[in-house]
Amino acid sequence: MILVMLSVMARGFVRDRAGLILAFLLPPVVFLVFASVFGSGASGRLDVRAGLYQAATSVQSRRLVTALQQRLSAPIRVYATQDALREAVLDGDVDAGLDLSAHLITDPYPASVVMTSGRRASGEVLSAKVREAVASTLARDLARRDAERLGVFLGLRDDQKRRLATVFSGAGPMTFVAERTLGADDPLVVYYAGAVSILFLMFTAMQGAFSLIDDRRAGLRLRLGLAVGGLAPVLAGRMLWLTALGICQAAALFGVAAAIYHIPLFAALAPWSVTATTAAAASAGIALALAAACSTRAQAQTASTFVILILAAVGGSMAPRFLMPALLQRLGWLTPHAWVITAYQEILWRRIVSPVVFEAWVVLAAFAAVGFALALMLESRRRL
Amino acid sequence: MTAEPAGPVLSVRNAVRRYPGRTALDGVSLSIAAGEVYALIGRNGAGKSTLAKAVVGALALDSGSVRVLGADPVRDREARRRIGVAPQDIALWGHLSIQENLEAFAVLAGVAPSNRSQAVDQALAAAGCADRRGERVDALSGGWRRRANLAAAIVHRPRLLVLDEPTEGLDAETRCALRTLVETLRRHATAVLLISHDAEDVATLADRVGVLEAGRLAAEGTPASLMTSAFAGRQELTVRVDAESSATALILTGFGLTPADGGAWSGLAADALAQARSIDEALRAAGVPVGELIVRHPRIDALIAWASSAPQP
């Protein structure tokens, strides 16, 4: 009986080509957009479009600009005047600008990074890149300059100054902070794969669950109520179908993520499958409960839009949870989204099946069970 | 297999169902025997649909009882399995073919896998849609959808069939086919609860008629006995005038006639022939040419009109 309902829904879905496209094409496309915006092509690098103004070129400035360009993905745009650079930053043509209007070696502050308050992050990234470039290319020149200044201050003779400069310049590039990268890939790629996946699971499940309202309106519910097993197998069939559809949709999305961003989907297929199944079941349960609670399609559309957007915003499907205030982060645990995203991150980024993954599976299964029970109760009590 | 209990297929006793602000069913009692067609008539909101929902177990009563073959359809799944329902709306999945719909409903109704194919074939043949079994319901015309709707209601060979306006909006040929189907079901001892506003449905099919009024069974009997009690020897008088004016309306309302379909005026009268003569004279005196003046025994549609609209005779 459950399989009959599953088959009825499956045939309806397969015969609806527009629905097929929306269910399987849209989520990967949206994921690719999110991943390329927030994950920067999985490289983990923040792309800063930098502008440059140089009052005069020198051997040192040419070396600095070359080293800086190597550290940026986008080509540096050169502006003829300081004002032109400032305008470009203000207009957003570039994210931040580097103003080299003073002598690189003799001036105490030879470089300025120009930024707007709305793009401080870009300015700070450029500033750090400039420091890195200076440390790697101008270390010897700056050491010689500092030795010269120190020699004057200490009253050294010329030969003593030369020896001091040799000692300073032999120290090599100035390095203070060493970088260590944790995790194999960009966490945001897996983050957004999970976030977009649960967002679209909810959309698809809601649309599928609305057939409950359509059936009610068409009088089918009256006939379905005569089913030998009552409404439970009828609803279970729908639940099973929506879960199966959700798994297929998640597979399509993560398949694209594996193909393009090389996330280790196949190495973690078993825990991924459990996560995808419980996530799809949770979405199906919530969607069925909502459809059962609504009398009309219009009511359900409004309610579902509200529920989907709120859950997505609080649960971390719209913006990364680590950027949220602590209160919202805590509230996020009330949504399936936070659990789904966390479980996928543990499995596919940290590449472990930690206790929190088991916890997520239990919570998602509970969402599914409670949603189904609620849907059954509401639909059984509904006045036809 | 257990033996079926003796007695009526459907038995409703003192059914009461209240909604906020109104009582939809107010102590309705009726019963339908095997092979009997019971027509339920009444104006909109009289409680017909509520009673039908209670009968198919989709609605629990506040008090009273519904028994199908002796069991409560709300609680007893076997009782529900014996019921077929063809709602007024087309209760089929539009994206499936007629055959796919029937197969699905056969499974849901618990038809054994070994009998399923035969049951579907028989229902398709009985409803006259075997030739179109492969067509999607969405693509069918209204008449074929209604046939398919009925086929889905009988695919599991129910003992009680609830039909809600089965011939509404159909052409004469399809109406005739559906009536023939109901006749066939009656011969196979299926009890039929027919909710209809169609005079011909009631006249040709019903063994008994129940008139539901404000949640109460106001009258019940064979069509003939109901006609006698409802009209008590009065006859139906219908007048058509060629040119209608306010003077015409004044004259005709003065004789107790009310506007009817097609520009006619009609009413019931104990001495209809004498009244017809008086109306004719009055209209001629007013210079109104009389197109048609008919005196006849009331038909079943007058009974339905009587049941469907106040005031009652």
Side-chain angles (χ1 to χ4, degrees):
Chain A
M1 214 168 289
I2 292 172
L3 291 179
V4 165
M5 282 310 298
L6 188 146
S7 136
V8 165
M9 293 198 69
R11 277 184 277 191
F13 179 74
V14 170
R15 288 169 189 177
D16 174 14
R17 285 181 195 158
L20 266 174
I21 291 170
L22 285 176
F24 291 119
L25 196 64
L26 207 55
V29 168
V30 172
F31 159 68
L32 288 175
V33 171
F34 271 82
S36 60
V37 170
F38 294 101
S40 277
S43 66
R45 288 162 59 171
L46 276 175
D47 269 347
V48 176
R49 293 168 303 143
L52 173 69
Y53 164 70
Q54 281 181 278
T57 54
S58 63
V59 176
Q60 286 94 348
S61 71
R62 274 197 294 274
R63 271 171 27 213
L64 173 63
V65 171
T66 305
L68 181 62
Q69 181 63 81
Q70 286 167 355
R71 286 165 171 76
L72 297 171
S73 307
I76 297 171
R77 291 189 192 179
V78 179
Y79 294 90
T81 62
Q82 273 180 311
D83 284 344
L85 176 67
R86 217 185 63 196
E87 286 301 315
V89 173
L90 284 172
D91 292 346
D93 292 340
V94 291
D95 298 317
L98 177 60
D99 181 351
L100 297 178
S101 53
H103 191 278
L104 276 184
I105 305 302
T106 56
D107 200 282
Y109 299 105
S112 311
V113 171
V114 185
M115 66 187 91
T116 60
S117 55
R119 288 197 174 128
R120 285 202 74 83
S122 299
E124 280 162 10
V125 168
L126 180 61
S127 195
K129 301 281 182 198
V130 170
R131 283 194 188 93
E132 269 181 37
V134 167
S136 67
T137 58
L138 301 180
R140 286 169 195 274
D141 299 297
L142 293 173
R144 270 196 292 274
R145 181 195 68 183
D146 292 345
E148 176 65 30
R149 286 178 183 167
L150 192 60
V152 172
F153 179 72
L154 295 172
L156 298 179
R157 296 190 309 273
D158 283 349
D159 62 320
Q160 288 172 316
K161 285 182 198 165
R162 274 195 298 278
R163 281 212 303 277
L164 187 63
T166 308
V167 171
F168 267 45
S169 59
M174 292 182 292
T175 52
F176 183 73
V177 176
E179 291 175 349
R180 279 188 299 143
T181 305
L182 299 175
D185 314 296
D186 186 346
L188 279 177
V189 169
V190 173
Y191 184 98
Y192 274 104
V196 172
S197 154
I198 182 67
L199 179 67
F200 275 92
L201 280 182
M202 293 294 290
F203 273 122
T204 308
M206 291 288 180
Q207 286 304 319
F210 289 169
S211 64
L212 204 63
I213 299 168
D214 296 338
D215 286 359
R216 218 186 283 147
R217 201 180 46 189
L220 261 163
R221 166 68 178 77
L222 201 64
R223 189 169 272 165
L224 290 173
L226 294 175
V228 175
L231 272 181
V234 171
L235 272 181
R238 286 178 200 276
M239 176 97 175
L240 203 61
W241 161 247
L242 293 177
T243 304
L245 181 63
I247 295 168
C248 295
Q249 195 183 54
L253 191 151
F254 278 90
V256 168
I260 295 178
Y261 297 116
H262 311 295
I263 64 166
L265 175 64
F266 297 104
L269 202 56
W272 176 88
S273 302
V274 179
T275 309
T277 305
T278 50
S283 307
I286 292 170
L288 282 173
L290 193 131
C294 294
S295 302
T296 63
R297 217 175 210 279
Q299 206 179 71
Q301 287 282 11
T302 311
S304 70
T305 306
F306 181 77
V307 168
I308 288 173
L309 291 181
I310 289 289
L311 289 180
V314 177
S317 276
M318 291 183 176
R321 296 188 68 234
F322 54 79
L323 294 179
M324 293 179 180
L327 175 66
L328 268 186
Q329 285 193 28
R330 279 201 299 276
L331 277 176
W333 293 117
L334 297 174
T335 71
H337 298 55
W339 292 102
V340 169
I341 293 167
T342 303
Y344 280 135
Q345 280 208 296
E346 292 288 291
I347 293 164
L348 297 173
W349 184 63
R350 293 189 69 192
R351 302 184 185 192
I352 54 168
V353 182
S354 61
V356 78
V357 174
F358 289 103
E359 225 177 304
W361 292 345
V362 170
V363 172
L364 292 170
F367 267 113
V370 171
F372 179 77
L374 210 57
L376 187 58
M377 188 191 80
L378 291 170
E379 196 58 24
S380 303
R381 289 184 178 183
R382 179 161 285 283
R383 227 176 82 183
L384 294 177
Chain B
M1 183 182 276
T2 53
E4 281 183 5
V9 175
L10 172 67
S11 168
V12 180
R13 291 282 167 266
N14 295 316
V16 175
R17 173 71 194 197
R18 294 185 190 89
Y19 293 126
R22 70 184 180 99
T23 301
L25 294 176
D26 191 4
V28 175
S29 295
L30 60 87
S31 63
I32 308 178
E36 184 182 25
V37 178
Y38 187 106
L40 197 61
I41 62 176
R43 74 178 75 164
N44 292 334
K48 304 187 297 290
S49 295
T50 305
L51 183 63
K53 284 169 190 168
V55 165
V56 301
L59 191 84
L61 295 170
D62 293 324
S63 66
S65 67
V66 171
R67 294 286 180 269
V68 175
L69 295 166
D72 181 357
V74 173
R75 292 182 181 81
D76 190 297
R77 66 172 59 172
E78 190 55 30
R80 282 202 300 270
R81 212 175 69 75
R82 305 294 184 87
I83 304 171
V85 60
Q88 192 172 357
D89 297 317
I90 304 300
L92 299 169
W93 286 290
H95 62 271
L96 300 187
S97 69
I98 300 178
Q99 176 156 350
E100 288 170 337
N101 266 290
L102 263 59
E103 284 166 351
F105 284 116
V107 175
L108 291 170
V111 176
S114 55
N115 298 336
R116 217 169 277 159
S117 170
Q118 191 190 13
V120 169
D121 288 345
Q122 285 179 349
L124 285 167
C129 43
D131 293 343
R132 310 191 74 155
R133 59 171 66 202
E135 291 184 35
R136 278 173 61 164
V137 171
D138 275 346
L140 295 171
S141 67
W144 288 106
R145 285 185 195 190
R146 204 147 296 276
R147 284 177 189 240
N149 197 32
L150 196 52
I154 59 172
V155 70
H156 58 296
R157 294 170 199 164
R159 295 297 318 281
L160 171 66
L161 181 62
V162 178
L163 300 176
D164 195 352
E165 302 289 358
T167 58
E168 191 186 34
L170 296 183
D171 57 66
E173 188 192 348
T174 313
R175 278 165 183 260
C176 188
L178 291 186
R179 285 181 195 131
T180 306
L181 171 59
V182 175
E183 283 294 345
T184 310
L185 292 169
R186 187 216 310 261
R187 282 200 298 277
H188 286 89
T190 306
V192 179
L193 176 62
L194 172 70
I195 298 169
S196 181
H197 284 104
D198 187 285
E200 214 173 327
D201 279 353
V202 177
T204 56
L205 295 174
D207 298 307
R208 279 190 302 144
V209 181
V211 180
L212 213 52
E213 178 61 38
R216 290 172 176 273
L217 201 59
E220 188 185 50
T222 62
S225 69
L226 264 186
M227 296 290 281
T228 306
S229 62
F231 302 112
R234 287 180 294 175
Q235 288 180 304
E236 193 180 350
L237 182 61
T238 305
V239 180
R240 285 180 204 282
V241 288
D242 291 337
E244 210 168 300
S245 65
S246 55
T248 314
L250 201 64
I251 293 165
L252 295 175
T253 49
F255 281 99
L257 302 188
T258 53
D261 292 339
W265 290 73
S266 70
L268 295 162
D271 188 1
L273 274 174
Q275 191 162 11
R277 273 194 294 274
S278 304
I279 290 172
D280 187 38
E281 283 165 12
L283 287 173
R284 282 177 196 283
V288 179
V290 179
E292 201 174 28
L293 223 162
I294 304 166
V295 175
R296 64 184 171 197
H297 291 292
R299 295 172 307 167
I300 198 80
D301 50 357
L303 178 67
I304 292 174
W306 166 76
S308 303
S309 62
Q312 293 176 10

